[in-house]
Amino acid sequence: MRLFITFLFSLTAFLASAQSKLVWWKPSDSIFPVIDGQAWSSEMRDTIQRFPPRAEANVRKAVWNLSRNSAGLSIRFISNADQIVVRYKVTGAINMPHMPSTGVSGVDLYGIDSDGNWQWANGKYSFKDTVQYVFAQLRPNDNYHKLGREYRLFFPLYNSVRNLEIGVPEGSLFKVLPQRLEKPIVVYGTSIAQGACATRPGMAWTNILSRKLDRTVINLGFSGNGRLEKEVIDLINELDAKVFVLDCLPNLIVPIVDHQELQKRIVESVKALRAKHPNTPILLTDHDGYTEGYLMPHRQPLFEDANKDLREALAQLANEKITGVYSLPISDINIDHEGMVDGTHPNDIGMMRYAEAYEKKLREIMQEPAGKLKTEIPTRQNREPGSYVWEDRHYDMLRLNQTDAPKVVLIGNSITHNWGGKPLNNRIKGADSWQKYVEPYQVRNFGFGWDRVENVLWRVYHDEFDGITPEKIIINIGTNNLQLNTDDEIVQGLRFLVQAIHTRQPQAKITLLGIYPRREQEARVATLNKAIQAMTKAEKVGFSDIGKVFLQKDGKINESLFSDGLHPNAAGYEEAGKRLEQELLKK
């Protein structure tokens, strides 16, 4: 016992010492909105809540109070710290009878490695007057660089947060990231959407979904109060969403409303959204049922009748020619008794099934399929932030597309990125040849250093082709996959990418360029390019192996055209520019 007390004292002293050397950040320190998942952020400054203050006068008191819970909200930041400490206060009870403190009042930290894979961090927590989480002995960096990784800190699901601070050891990198620019998925729902009864915030289905799709999900789930009320629909109508999700049936059973009133609310809600958002998909979700039905069948008619009412409302909407309305049936959610806490609210297993069902349906609606191969799964990356910031370049692309639509898009990796053109950057190696051979054709440089096939797929899914209608799309990607993937995986990934681009730009002429030859990989690249060419014939898109200009008669690269056996120098870009211009001249 004495040994244990000594150990505890030493641990406490160590933590106190470590924390005394921490540098603290709070949301009010930022000059831009940083609460991810928060709509109306310009009206709330550093307040961690879900509705703007003006909503208090319009929505019911119960809805307003629940909107001050931080469900679905998070902060994204980059750090190379080996320790991250989070402290904050909550305004309500720490836990609930059927949901643990970690879900009700805790936070949850996820990191993304440089290749875009999600990882979870275990925090040591203390629930006192001030809640504190200590994430210690973190792996601060991956093998690519020493500039840390992106983290996402998910906030409590059933409590309101005040005085939140994040601390890292003095001298560590800490950079908070702004809210994302892509359109969010907006969810209006019940306690299940709010997060009951996940064991921790990251396991709420909306947060799982946000990681699976790597897209902001706005959580407007209100426990017991997701009732398709006009006042809430009016607020939601202010948002520019990728998809609207209405998952309110568990709070709209008899005797809360009768069958006629339920159908009326469904129809009126959809019509209101459609009036202001004529093209935004709307997804309506079945009541997921009660899993004690076999032994306790008395509640089964309640959800079955609600789902019948939804079917009738959908039929009415279809008869009135209201399009873009989808449904997620109970059979797709498919939660059994092992996935529930109390027959009504999902546990973590149930939350995962919810998220999987939503991911499948939303990928179908948004036309964002994910394949089984690594090259077919859209993934972000962060492999060389010291040279450029991948996400920043992505957002530069979105902004530039709104003001300066290109006629031609050239997709690629660092070889394209370093060539020239907009968005402007400090990596340019072939400015003269770009200006001479490429710029006259109004080409946008969609090259991102270190990109692989799956990274381009992510960018395609995250709006880089929205708002533009290029005449030609030229793709030169795959060399960074050579060390990780088989030739077939690369070819199938390129096929998947071509199909994704064609779905969004059916009018554009798509041409794949063969992978450029590189030192000690010449033979493999030549074989691979033949397979890529065969695939392009099957997909009915163009192919050109302009990289042959880099080869000598013996099949080896001409070293005088490269800076490192992979990236062309100015002379190499000159030769490539001449060949690319021939492709640009083709009708």
Side-chain angles (χ1 to χ4, degrees):
M1 182 67 180
R2 184 175 181 180
L3 181 61
F4 172 77
I5 293 173
T6 302
F7 168 77
L8 185 62
F9 177 82
S10 300
L11 177 62
T12 302
F14 167 77
L15 291 176
S17 174
Q19 290 176 35
S20 68
K21 299 177 183 178
L22 298 180
V23 176
W24 294 94
W25 171 91
K26 56 186 180 297
S28 60
D29 292 338
S30 294
I31 61 174
F32 49 78
V34 297
I35 310 298
D36 198 57
Q38 183 185 66
W40 308 283
S41 57
S42 62
E43 301 180 47
M44 288 186 271
R45 302 184 64 171
D46 62 334
T47 304
I48 302 175
Q49 64 186 50
R50 295 181 288 163
F51 269 166
R54 60 184 165 86
E56 184 176 8
N58 298 320
V59 302
R60 287 187 299 110
K61 183 177 180 180
V63 175
W64 169 250
N65 290 340
L66 288 162
S67 78
R68 301 179 74 183
N69 293 166
S70 55
L73 304 182
S74 63
I75 284 180
R76 300 186 308 133
F77 60 89
I78 292 173
S79 181
N80 62 359
D82 61 0
Q83 180 185 15
I84 297 172
V85 180
V86 183
R87 64 188 185 193
Y88 55 95
K89 294 182 181 295
V90 294
T91 61
I94 292 292
N95 60 7
M96 298 191 298
H98 62 330
M99 187 171 173
S101 303
T102 48
V104 174
S105 305
V107 294
D108 217 356
L109 186 67
Y110 284 76
I112 307 175
D113 67 25
S114 295
D115 290 324
N117 303 304
W118 287 96
Q119 313 292 344
W120 177 74
N122 176 32
K124 304 301 181 184
Y125 46 81
S126 172
F127 289 95
K128 297 181 180 179
D129 179 58
T130 295
V131 180
Q132 179 169 280
Y133 273 70
V134 178
F135 302 93
Q137 297 181 309
L138 295 167
R139 177 179 291 176
N141 299 292
D142 297 325
N143 295 328
Y144 295 98
H145 54 78
K146 301 298 181 183
L147 296 176
R149 69 180 76 255
E150 179 183 331
Y151 288 95
R152 192 158 305 171
L153 182 71
F154 291 101
F155 292 160
L157 299 172
Y158 264 81
N159 225 319
S160 302
V161 173
R162 298 290 181 268
N163 303 327
L164 178 123
E165 294 181 295
I166 302 173
V168 297
E170 189 174 20
S172 301
L173 170 69
F174 182 88
K175 176 186 177 183
V176 70
L177 297 174
Q179 289 183 335
R180 303 175 71 167
L181 295 184
E182 300 95 347
K183 293 181 180 180
I185 295 166
V186 177
V187 177
Y188 177 22
T190 68
S191 56
I192 299 169
Q194 181 166 343
C197 289
T199 57
R200 49 187 176 84
M203 290 307 297
W205 73 257
T206 55
N207 290 336
I208 298 172
L209 183 68
S210 74
R211 298 194 299 276
K212 285 179 171 290
L213 297 178
D214 202 3
R215 185 179 288 273
T216 296
V217 175
I218 294 178
N219 183 328
L220 299 178
F222 306 113
S223 184
N225 289 275
R227 300 181 182 178
L228 294 180
E229 293 169 296
K230 180 182 182 300
E231 296 80 6
V232 177
I233 293 292
D234 287 346
L235 283 164
I236 292 172
N237 237 336
E238 298 175 8
L239 308 180
D240 187 13
K242 188 76 172 180
V243 180
F244 291 110
V245 176
L246 304 181
D247 188 355
C248 292
L249 261 60
N251 288 164
L252 289 170
I253 59 174
V254 175
I256 298 174
V257 297
D258 60 28
H259 301 300
Q260 184 177 3
E261 176 65 18
L262 173 53
Q263 292 178 34
K264 177 184 176 184
R265 291 195 191 190
I266 294 170
V267 170
E268 290 183 348
S269 296
V270 170
K271 286 183 175 180
L273 292 172
R274 182 56 73 239
K276 287 195 175 182
H277 303 275
N279 301 312
T280 305
I282 301 171
L283 176 59
L284 295 158
T285 306
D286 270 4
H287 191 311
D288 69 315
Y290 305 117
T291 54
E292 75 275 25
Y294 182 80
L295 295 178
M296 305 174 68
H298 63 285
R299 290 205 297 170
Q300 188 159 330
L302 298 178
F303 74 82
E304 290 179 340
D305 289 347
N307 290 341
K308 288 178 183 177
D309 291 334
L310 175 57
R311 300 278 89 72
E312 292 185 20
L314 288 168
Q316 178 181 337
L317 292 165
N319 288 335
E320 296 184 28
K321 309 299 183 184
I322 297 176
T323 60
V325 181
Y326 303 84
S327 66
L328 181 64
I330 185 174
S331 57
D332 286 359
I333 302 170
N334 195 30
I335 298 180
D336 61 17
H337 57 273
E338 303 293 359
M340 291 286 194
V341 170
D342 53 7
T344 301
H345 299 96
N347 56 26
D348 289 353
I349 296 172
M351 287 290 183
M352 186 60 71
R353 289 181 183 170
Y354 249 100
E356 290 169 349
Y358 268 110
E359 180 191 13
K360 182 179 179 181
K361 178 60 68 173
L362 287 168
R363 285 196 180 280
E364 174 188 318
I365 293 170
M366 298 186 298
Q367 298 182 304
E368 297 182 2
K372 295 181 179 180
L373 300 176
K374 179 63 176 175
T375 52
E376 299 172 335
I377 300 172
T379 312
R380 66 169 55 232
Q381 61 103 337
N382 186 35
R383 288 187 277 270
E384 55 172 335
S387 178
Y388 82 106
V389 178
W390 191 84
E391 183 173 279
D392 287 353
R393 183 168 173 83
H394 167 63
Y395 290 147
D396 286 343
M397 203 73 68
L398 299 186
R399 296 186 188 97
L400 194 55
N401 286 346
Q402 294 176 359
T403 59
D404 184 15
K407 286 188 176 180
V408 181
V409 165
L410 178 59
I411 293 172
N413 46 51
S414 57
I415 297 171
T416 302
H417 189 166
N418 297 354
W419 200 339
K422 296 179 181 179
L424 299 175
N425 64 85
N426 61 0
R427 301 167 55 102
I428 302 302
K429 306 295 184 196
D432 291 344
S433 60
W434 182 280
Q435 191 71 28
K436 188 189 308 182
Y437 301 113
V438 185
E439 188 67 33
Y441 302 93
Q442 297 182 44
V443 179
R444 175 70 40 76
N445 187 330
F446 272 53
F448 283 56
W450 260 112
D451 256 14
R452 299 172 185 150
V453 174
E454 59 267 25
N455 305 133
V456 178
L457 184 64
W458 186 99
R459 297 196 280 117
V460 170
Y461 284 177
H462 285 73
D463 307 348
E464 284 192 12
F465 279 102
D466 285 11
I468 61 174
T469 54
E471 298 171 3
K472 297 180 180 180
I473 298 171
I474 300 174
I475 305 168
N476 179 218
I477 196 71
T479 195
N480 291 324
N481 292 91
L482 290 172
Q483 294 180 333
L484 298 171
N485 303 107
T486 66
D487 287 4
D488 184 63
E489 288 170 339
I490 295 171
V491 172
Q492 296 310 318
L494 288 170
R495 185 193 306 274
F496 209 83
L497 176 61
V498 166
Q499 292 171 351
I501 293 173
H502 180 71
T503 296
R504 288 156 178 76
Q505 299 289 332
Q507 81 296 331
K509 178 182 177 182
I510 300 174
T511 300
L512 262 72
L513 302 183
I515 295 173
Y516 292 167
R518 55 189 294 176
R519 184 187 298 149
E520 298 180 357
Q521 296 267 7
E522 295 94 338
R524 182 185 175 189
V525 168
T527 300
L528 177 55
N529 282 341
K530 291 179 181 178
I532 294 173
Q533 184 175 17
M535 180 271 291
T536 60
K537 289 181 179 178
E539 293 297 323
K540 298 180 181 180
V541 297
F543 176 82
S544 182
D545 194 4
I546 73 173
K548 286 182 176 179
V549 300
F550 295 117
L551 293 173
Q552 302 175 134
K553 291 182 179 180
D554 63 1
K556 300 296 183 182
I557 64 168
N558 183 343
E559 295 283 357
S560 68
L561 301 178
F562 289 86
S563 61
D564 56 4
L566 170 62
H567 298 91
N569 55 24
Y573 281 121
E574 176 76 17
E575 295 302 316
K578 295 175 185 177
R579 284 289 291 111
L580 182 60
E581 185 178 34
Q582 296 176 27
E583 294 301 317
L584 295 171
L585 285 168
K586 291 180 180 178
K587 298 298 183 182

